[in-house]
Amino acid sequence: MGLFKKTDQEKADIAALRAADAALHANQRREEAAGIRDETPEYLRLNTAANEAAAKVSRWHGGTKRH
């Protein structure tokens, strides 16, 4: 792991985070369009997946991992 080089695992984790965020935001747009204002089970599932993906990615790349 270099300063600017990412390992294949880091690249995969970043891609997974972006996919999880995209799914969460797409669901949010669908639920808002349908007039749903409460947290649905689907929202909670997608939010948990996005949080778990963020925990694997450094803060430099949009995650929550400290180092």
Side-chain angles (χ1 to χ4, degrees):
M1 176 173 82
L3 182 59
F4 296 107
K5 292 185 179 184
K6 293 183 274 311
T7 65
D8 289 339
Q9 183 61 49
E10 289 171 323
K11 290 176 186 176
D13 290 341
I14 292 168
L17 172 59
R18 290 181 180 161
D21 281 344
L24 177 62
H25 293 297
N27 182 67
Q28 178 184 1
R29 287 188 296 273
R30 281 191 302 275
E31 289 182 355
E32 283 179 351
I36 299 170
R37 298 182 57 97
D38 297 325
E39 294 178 347
T40 63
E42 180 66 5
Y43 165 81
L44 294 173
R45 183 186 70 77
L46 292 170
N47 192 50
T48 299
N51 288 337
E52 289 173 356
K56 297 177 183 177
V57 176
S58 77
R59 296 169 76 182
W60 285 95
H61 299 291
T64 58
K65 188 176 177 182
R66 291 200 180 259
H67 59 290

Coordinates of all heavy atoms in Angstrom, one line a residue:
M1 N 0.9 -1.2 0.0 CA 0.0 0.0 0.0 C 0.9 1.2 0.0 O 1.6 1.5 1.0 CB -0.9 0.0 1.2 CG -1.8 1.2 1.4 SD -3.0 1.1 2.7 CE -2.0 1.5 4.1
G2 N 0.9 1.9 -1.1 CA 1.7 3.2 -1.2 C 0.9 4.4 -0.9 O -0.3 4.3 -0.6
L3 N 1.5 5.5 -0.9 CA 0.8 6.7 -0.6 C -0.3 7.0 -1.6 O -1.4 7.4 -1.3 CB 1.8 7.9 -0.5 CG 1.2 9.2 -0.2 CD1 0.5 9.2 1.2 CD2 2.2 10.3 -0.2
F4 N -0.1 6.8 -2.9 CA -1.1 7.1 -3.9 C -1.5 5.9 -4.7 O -2.5 6.0 -5.4 CB -0.5 8.1 -4.9 CG -0.2 9.4 -4.3 CD1 1.1 9.9 -4.0 CD2 -1.2 10.3 -3.8 CE1 1.4 11.1 -3.4 CE2 -1.0 11.5 -3.2 CZ 0.3 11.9 -3.0
K5 N -0.9 4.7 -4.5 CA -1.3 3.5 -5.2 C -2.3 2.8 -4.3 O -2.2 2.7 -3.1 CB -0.1 2.6 -5.4 CG 0.8 3.2 -6.5 CD 1.9 2.3 -6.8 CE 2.8 2.9 -7.8 NZ 3.9 1.9 -8.3
K6 N -3.3 2.2 -5.0 CA -4.3 1.4 -4.3 C -4.2 0.0 -4.6 O -3.9 -0.4 -5.8 CB -5.7 1.9 -4.7 CG -6.1 3.3 -4.2 CD -7.5 3.7 -4.5 CE -7.7 4.3 -5.9 NZ -6.9 5.4 -6.3
T7 N -4.3 -0.9 -3.7 CA -4.3 -2.3 -3.9 C -5.6 -2.7 -4.7 O -6.5 -1.9 -4.7 CB -4.2 -3.1 -2.6 OG1 -5.4 -2.9 -1.9 CG2 -3.0 -2.7 -1.8
D8 N -5.6 -3.9 -5.2 CA -6.8 -4.4 -5.9 C -7.9 -4.5 -4.9 O -9.1 -4.2 -5.2 CB -6.5 -5.8 -6.5 CG -5.6 -5.7 -7.7 OD1 -5.5 -4.6 -8.3 OD2 -5.0 -6.7 -8.1
Q9 N -7.7 -4.8 -3.6 CA -8.7 -4.9 -2.6 C -9.3 -3.5 -2.3 O -10.5 -3.4 -2.2 CB -8.2 -5.6 -1.3 CG -9.3 -5.7 -0.3 CD -10.4 -6.6 -0.7 OE1 -10.2 -7.7 -1.2 NE2 -11.6 -6.2 -0.6
E10 N -8.4 -2.5 -2.2 CA -8.9 -1.2 -2.0 C -9.7 -0.7 -3.1 O -10.8 0.0 -2.9 CB -7.7 -0.2 -1.8 CG -7.0 -0.4 -0.5 CD -5.7 0.4 -0.4 OE1 -5.0 0.5 -1.4 OE2 -5.4 0.8 0.7
K11 N -9.3 -1.0 -4.3 CA -10.1 -0.6 -5.5 C -11.5 -1.3 -5.5 O -12.5 -0.7 -5.8 CB -9.4 -1.0 -6.8 CG -8.2 -0.1 -7.1 CD -7.4 -0.6 -8.3 CE -6.1 0.1 -8.5 NZ -5.4 -0.4 -9.7
A12 N -11.5 -2.5 -5.1 CA -12.8 -3.3 -5.0 C -13.7 -2.7 -3.9 O -14.9 -2.6 -4.1 CB -12.6 -4.8 -4.7
D13 N -13.1 -2.3 -2.8 CA -13.8 -1.8 -1.7 C -14.4 -0.4 -2.0 O -15.6 -0.1 -1.7 CB -13.0 -1.6 -0.4 CG -12.6 -2.9 0.2 OD1 -13.3 -4.0 -0.1 OD2 -11.6 -3.0 1.0
I14 N -13.7 0.4 -2.8 CA -14.1 1.7 -3.2 C -15.3 1.5 -4.2 O -16.3 2.2 -4.1 CB -13.0 2.5 -3.9 CG1 -12.0 2.9 -2.8 CG2 -13.5 3.8 -4.6 CD1 -10.7 3.5 -3.3
A15 N -15.2 0.6 -5.1 CA -16.3 0.3 -6.1 C -17.5 -0.2 -5.3 O -18.6 0.2 -5.7 CB -15.8 -0.7 -7.1
A16 N -17.3 -1.0 -4.3 CA -18.5 -1.5 -3.5 C -19.2 -0.4 -2.8 O -20.4 -0.3 -2.7 CB -18.0 -2.6 -2.6
L17 N -18.4 0.6 -2.3 CA -18.9 1.7 -1.6 C -19.7 2.6 -2.5 O -20.9 3.0 -2.2 CB -17.8 2.6 -0.9 CG -18.3 3.9 -0.3 CD1 -19.3 3.7 0.8 CD2 -17.0 4.6 0.2
R18 N -19.2 2.8 -3.7 CA -19.9 3.7 -4.7 C -21.2 3.0 -5.1 O -22.2 3.7 -5.3 CB -19.0 3.9 -5.9 CG -17.9 4.9 -5.5 CD -17.0 5.2 -6.6 NE -15.9 6.1 -6.2 CZ -14.8 6.3 -6.8 NH1 -14.6 5.7 -8.0 NH2 -13.9 7.2 -6.3
A19 N -21.2 1.7 -5.3 CA -22.4 0.9 -5.7 C -23.4 1.0 -4.6 O -24.6 1.2 -4.8 CB -22.0 -0.5 -6.1
A20 N -23.0 0.8 -3.3 CA -23.9 0.8 -2.2 C -24.5 2.2 -2.0 O -25.7 2.3 -1.8 CB -23.2 0.4 -0.9
D21 N -23.7 3.2 -2.2 CA -24.2 4.6 -2.1 C -25.2 4.9 -3.2 O -26.3 5.5 -3.0 CB -23.1 5.6 -2.2 CG -22.4 5.8 -0.8 OD1 -22.9 5.4 0.2 OD2 -21.3 6.4 -0.8
A22 N -24.9 4.4 -4.4 CA -25.8 4.6 -5.6 C -27.1 4.0 -5.4 O -28.2 4.5 -5.6 CB -25.2 4.1 -6.9
A23 N -27.1 2.7 -4.8 CA -28.4 2.0 -4.6 C -29.2 2.7 -3.5 O -30.4 2.8 -3.6 CB -28.0 0.6 -4.1
L24 N -28.5 3.2 -2.4 CA -29.2 3.9 -1.4 C -29.9 5.2 -1.9 O -31.0 5.5 -1.6 CB -28.2 4.3 -0.3 CG -28.8 5.1 0.9 CD1 -29.9 4.3 1.6 CD2 -27.6 5.4 1.9
H25 N -29.2 5.9 -2.7 CA -29.7 7.2 -3.2 C -30.8 7.0 -4.3 O -31.8 7.7 -4.3 CB -28.6 8.1 -3.8 CG -27.7 8.6 -2.8 ND1 -28.0 9.4 -1.7 CD2 -26.3 8.3 -2.5 CE1 -27.0 9.6 -0.9 NE2 -26.0 9.0 -1.4
A26 N -30.7 5.9 -5.1 CA -31.7 5.6 -6.0 C -33.0 5.2 -5.3 O -34.1 5.6 -5.6 CB -31.3 4.4 -6.9
N27 N -32.9 4.4 -4.2 CA -34.0 4.0 -3.4 C -34.6 5.3 -2.7 O -35.9 5.4 -2.7 CB -33.6 3.0 -2.3 CG -34.8 2.6 -1.4 OD1 -35.7 1.9 -1.9 ND2 -34.8 3.0 -0.2
Q28 N -33.8 6.2 -2.3 CA -34.3 7.4 -1.7 C -35.1 8.2 -2.7 O -36.2 8.7 -2.3 CB -33.1 8.3 -1.2 CG -33.6 9.6 -0.6 CD -32.4 10.5 -0.2 OE1 -31.2 10.1 -0.4 NE2 -32.7 11.6 0.3
R29 N -34.7 8.3 -3.9 CA -35.4 9.1 -4.9 C -36.8 8.4 -5.2 O -37.8 9.1 -5.3 CB -34.6 9.2 -6.2 CG -33.5 10.2 -6.1 CD -32.8 10.4 -7.4 NE -32.1 9.2 -8.0 CZ -30.9 8.9 -7.7 NH1 -30.2 9.6 -6.9 NH2 -30.4 7.8 -8.2
R30 N -36.8 7.0 -5.3 CA -38.0 6.3 -5.5 C -39.0 6.5 -4.3 O -40.2 6.8 -4.6 CB -37.8 4.8 -5.7 CG -37.2 4.4 -7.0 CD -37.3 2.9 -7.2 NE -36.5 2.2 -6.2 CZ -35.2 1.9 -6.2 NH1 -34.5 2.4 -7.3 NH2 -34.6 1.3 -5.3
E31 N -38.5 6.4 -3.1 CA -39.4 6.6 -2.0 C -39.9 8.0 -1.9 O -41.1 8.2 -1.5 CB -38.7 6.1 -0.7 CG -38.5 4.6 -0.6 CD -37.8 4.2 0.6 OE1 -37.4 5.0 1.5 OE2 -37.7 2.9 0.8
E32 N -39.1 9.0 -2.1 CA -39.5 10.4 -2.1 C -40.6 10.6 -3.2 O -41.6 11.3 -2.9 CB -38.4 11.3 -2.3 CG -37.5 11.5 -1.1 CD -36.3 12.4 -1.3 OE1 -36.1 12.8 -2.5 OE2 -35.6 12.8 -0.3
A33 N -40.4 10.1 -4.4 CA -41.4 10.2 -5.4 C -42.7 9.6 -5.1 O -43.8 10.1 -5.5 CB -40.8 9.6 -6.7
A34 N -42.6 8.5 -4.3 CA -43.9 7.8 -3.9 C -44.5 8.5 -2.6 O -45.5 8.0 -2.2 CB -43.6 6.3 -3.6
G35 N -43.9 9.5 -2.1 CA -44.4 10.2 -1.0 C -44.1 9.5 0.4 O -44.7 9.9 1.4
I36 N -43.2 8.6 0.4 CA -42.8 7.9 1.6 C -41.8 8.8 2.4 O -40.8 9.2 1.9 CB -42.1 6.5 1.3 CG1 -43.1 5.6 0.6 CG2 -41.7 5.9 2.6 CD1 -42.5 4.4 0.0
R37 N -42.1 9.1 3.6 CA -41.3 10.0 4.4 C -40.6 9.3 5.6 O -39.8 9.8 6.3 CB -42.1 11.1 4.9 CG -42.7 12.0 3.8 CD -43.4 13.2 4.2 NE -42.6 14.0 5.1 CZ -42.0 15.1 4.7 NH1 -42.1 15.5 3.5 NH2 -41.3 15.9 5.6
D38 N -41.0 8.0 5.9 CA -40.5 7.3 7.0 C -39.4 6.3 6.5 O -39.3 6.0 5.3 CB -41.6 6.5 7.7 CG -42.6 7.3 8.3 OD1 -42.3 8.4 8.8 OD2 -43.8 6.9 8.2
E39 N -38.6 5.9 7.4 CA -37.5 4.9 7.1 C -38.2 3.5 6.9 O -38.7 3.0 7.8 CB -36.5 4.8 8.2 CG -35.7 6.1 8.4 CD -34.7 6.0 9.5 OE1 -34.8 5.1 10.3 OE2 -33.9 7.0 9.6
T40 N -38.0 3.0 5.7 CA -38.6 1.7 5.3 C -37.6 0.6 5.6 O -36.4 0.9 5.7 CB -39.0 1.7 3.8 OG1 -37.8 1.8 3.1 CG2 -40.0 2.8 3.5
P41 N -38.0 -0.6 5.7 CA -37.0 -1.7 5.8 C -36.0 -1.7 4.7 O -34.8 -2.0 5.0 CB -37.9 -3.0 5.8 CG -39.2 -2.5 6.3 CD -39.4 -1.1 5.8
E42 N -36.4 -1.4 3.5 CA -35.5 -1.4 2.4 C -34.4 -0.3 2.6 O -33.2 -0.5 2.3 CB -36.2 -1.2 1.1 CG -35.3 -1.1 -0.2 CD -34.6 -2.4 -0.4 OE1 -34.8 -3.5 0.2 OE2 -33.7 -2.5 -1.4
Y43 N -34.9 0.9 3.0 CA -33.9 2.0 3.3 C -32.9 1.5 4.4 O -31.7 1.8 4.2 CB -34.7 3.2 3.7 CG -33.7 4.2 4.4 CD1 -33.0 5.1 3.6 CD2 -33.6 4.3 5.7 CE1 -32.1 6.0 4.1 CE2 -32.7 5.2 6.3 CZ -31.9 6.0 5.5 OH -31.0 6.9 6.1
L44 N -33.4 1.0 5.4 CA -32.6 0.5 6.5 C -31.5 -0.5 6.1 O -30.4 -0.5 6.5 CB -33.4 0.0 7.7 CG -34.3 1.0 8.4 CD1 -35.2 0.3 9.4 CD2 -33.4 2.1 9.0
R45 N -32.0 -1.4 5.2 CA -31.1 -2.5 4.7 C -30.0 -1.8 3.8 O -28.8 -2.1 4.0 CB -31.9 -3.5 3.9 CG -31.0 -4.6 3.3 CD -31.8 -5.5 2.4 NE -32.1 -4.9 1.1 CZ -31.2 -4.7 0.1 NH1 -30.0 -5.1 0.3 NH2 -31.6 -4.2 -1.0
L46 N -30.4 -0.9 2.9 CA -29.4 -0.3 2.1 C -28.5 0.6 2.8 O -27.3 0.7 2.5 CB -30.1 0.5 0.9 CG -30.9 -0.4 -0.1 CD1 -31.7 0.5 -1.0 CD2 -29.9 -1.2 -0.9
N47 N -29.0 1.3 3.8 CA -28.2 2.2 4.7 C -27.1 1.4 5.4 O -26.0 1.8 5.5 CB -29.1 3.0 5.6 CG -28.3 4.1 6.3 OD1 -27.6 4.9 5.6 ND2 -28.4 4.2 7.6
T48 N -27.5 0.3 6.0 CA -26.6 -0.6 6.7 C -25.5 -1.1 5.7 O -24.3 -1.1 6.1 CB -27.3 -1.8 7.3 OG1 -28.3 -1.3 8.3 CG2 -26.4 -2.7 8.0
A49 N -25.9 -1.5 4.5 CA -24.9 -2.0 3.6 C -23.9 -0.9 3.2 O -22.7 -1.1 3.1 CB -25.6 -2.5 2.3
A50 N -24.4 0.4 3.0 CA -23.6 1.5 2.7 C -22.6 1.8 3.8 O -21.4 2.1 3.6 CB -24.4 2.7 2.3
N51 N -23.1 1.7 5.1 CA -22.2 2.0 6.2 C -21.2 0.9 6.4 O -20.0 1.2 6.7 CB -23.1 2.1 7.5 CG -23.9 3.3 7.6 OD1 -23.5 4.3 6.9 ND2 -24.9 3.3 8.3
E52 N -21.5 -0.3 6.1 CA -20.5 -1.4 6.2 C -19.5 -1.3 5.1 O -18.3 -1.5 5.3 CB -21.2 -2.8 6.1 CG -22.0 -3.1 7.4 CD -22.9 -4.3 7.2 OE1 -22.9 -5.0 6.1 OE2 -23.5 -4.7 8.2
A53 N -19.9 -0.8 3.9 CA -18.9 -0.6 2.8 C -18.0 0.6 3.1 O -16.8 0.5 2.9 CB -19.7 -0.4 1.5
A54 N -18.6 1.6 3.7 CA -17.8 2.8 4.1 C -16.7 2.5 5.1 O -15.7 3.1 5.1 CB -18.7 3.9 4.5
A55 N -17.0 1.5 6.0 CA -16.1 1.2 7.0 C -14.8 0.5 6.5 O -13.8 0.5 7.1 CB -16.7 0.2 8.1
K56 N -14.9 0.1 5.3 CA -13.7 -0.6 4.6 C -12.9 0.3 3.8 O -11.8 -0.1 3.3 CB -14.2 -1.8 3.8 CG -14.9 -2.9 4.5 CD -15.4 -3.9 3.6 CE -16.2 -5.0 4.4 NZ -16.8 -6.0 3.4
V57 N -13.3 1.6 3.6 CA -12.7 2.5 2.7 C -12.1 3.7 3.5 O -12.8 4.2 4.4 CB -13.7 3.0 1.6 CG1 -13.1 4.1 0.7 CG2 -14.2 1.8 0.8
S58 N -10.9 4.1 3.1 CA -10.3 5.2 3.9 C -11.1 6.5 3.7 O -11.9 6.7 2.7 CB -8.9 5.5 3.4 OG -8.8 6.1 2.2
R59 N -10.9 7.5 4.6 CA -11.6 8.7 4.5 C -11.2 9.5 3.2 O -11.9 10.3 2.7 CB -11.3 9.5 5.8 CG -11.9 8.8 7.0 CD -11.5 9.4 8.3 NE -12.2 10.7 8.5 CZ -12.0 11.4 9.5 NH1 -11.1 11.1 10.4 NH2 -12.7 12.5 9.7
W60 N -10.0 9.3 2.8 CA -9.5 9.9 1.5 C -10.4 9.6 0.3 O -10.4 10.3 -0.6 CB -8.1 9.5 1.2 CG -7.1 10.1 2.1 CD1 -6.5 9.6 3.3 CD2 -6.5 11.4 1.9 NE1 -5.6 10.4 3.8 CE2 -5.6 11.6 3.0 CE3 -6.6 12.4 1.0 CZ2 -4.8 12.7 3.2 CZ3 -5.8 13.5 1.1 CH2 -4.9 13.7 2.2
H61 N -11.0 8.4 0.4 CA -11.8 8.0 -0.8 C -13.3 7.9 -0.5 O -14.1 7.2 -1.1 CB -11.3 6.6 -1.3 CG -9.9 6.7 -1.7 ND1 -9.5 7.3 -2.8 CD2 -8.8 6.2 -1.1 CE1 -8.2 7.2 -2.9 NE2 -7.7 6.5 -1.9
G62 N -13.8 8.6 0.6 CA -15.2 8.7 0.9 C -15.7 7.8 1.9 O -16.9 7.8 2.2
G63 N -14.8 7.0 2.5 CA -15.3 6.1 3.5 C -15.1 6.6 4.9 O -15.0 7.8 5.1
T64 N -15.1 5.7 5.9 CA -15.0 6.2 7.3 C -13.8 5.6 8.0 O -13.6 5.9 9.1 CB -16.3 5.8 8.1 OG1 -16.5 4.4 8.0 CG2 -17.5 6.5 7.5
K65 N -13.1 4.8 7.3 CA -11.9 4.1 7.9 C -10.8 5.2 8.1 O -10.5 6.0 7.3 CB -11.3 3.1 6.9 CG -10.2 2.2 7.4 CD -9.9 1.2 6.4 CE -8.7 0.3 6.9 NZ -8.4 -0.7 5.8
R66 N -10.2 5.2 9.3 CA -9.3 6.3 9.7 C -7.9 6.1 9.1 O -7.2 7.0 9.0 CB -9.2 6.3 11.2 CG -10.5 6.9 11.8 CD -10.3 7.4 13.2 NE -11.5 7.9 13.7 CZ -11.8 9.2 13.8 NH1 -11.0 10.1 13.3 NH2 -13.0 9.5 14.3
H67 N -7.5 4.9 8.8 CA -6.2 4.7 8.2 C -6.1 3.6 7.2 O -7.0 2.9 6.9 CB -5.1 4.5 9.3 CG -5.4 3.3 10.2 ND1 -6.4 3.3 11.1 CD2 -4.8 2.1 10.3 CE1 -6.4 2.1 11.7 NE2 -5.4 1.4 11.3

